[in-house]
Amino acid sequence: GYHEGYTEHLPFWVAWTETLAIGSMGVWWAAGFTQIVIRILDDDADGLPSETRDLKPNMLIQFIRSQWLNDILNTAHAVSCVGLFAGVIPLCLAMVLMKGGLTACE
């Protein structure tokens, strides 16, 4: 087919940057959705306690309110954004350096 052997025309770093971009995107999605779930489960985090049970939360609520979990998720989110941009820039450079014209796929 048309795309068979296309990797022969790509610079050597393209496979690595594609892997970096895909991995970073996976981490970005996972960290983002985990933060969304935490915010949904902990909708009373910023408010005052309205019931007695709010003063002594269960283990799940203590876990999702823990500072270290939020720090890990925030760091994973930030590092994955850096990885996404670090992967996209060399891919754009590869498109410029490729021989031939650009197509709609690029």
Side-chain angles (χ1 to χ4, degrees):
Y2 173 74
H3 290 289
E4 289 179 15
Y6 75 96
T7 55
E8 298 167 1
H9 304 288
L10 298 174
F12 66 92
W13 71 82
V14 171
W16 181 81
T17 56
E18 285 178 341
T19 303
L20 175 66
I22 291 169
S24 296
M25 184 176 59
V27 171
W28 186 81
W29 279 102
F33 278 120
T34 303
Q35 288 176 327
I36 289 169
V37 169
I38 286 173
R39 289 185 181 138
I40 290 170
L41 291 175
D42 192 29
D43 61 348
D44 294 331
D46 293 330
L48 294 172
S50 58
E51 299 176 10
T52 307
R53 68 179 173 92
D54 292 340
L55 297 173
K56 190 168 183 162
N58 62 29
M59 289 181 62
L60 175 65
I61 299 300
Q62 289 176 357
F63 176 70
I64 65 174
R65 287 181 181 173
S66 65
Q67 187 61 43
W68 68 268
L69 176 63
N70 287 298
D71 289 345
I72 288 171
L73 291 173
N74 289 335
T75 302
H77 219 204
V79 169
S80 67
C81 287
V82 171
L84 277 170
F85 285 108
V88 168
I89 292 170
L91 290 175
C92 292
L93 181 63
M95 285 193 317
V96 171
L97 297 176
M98 284 180 56
K99 295 177 183 173
L102 293 177
T103 64
C105 294
E106 284 88 28

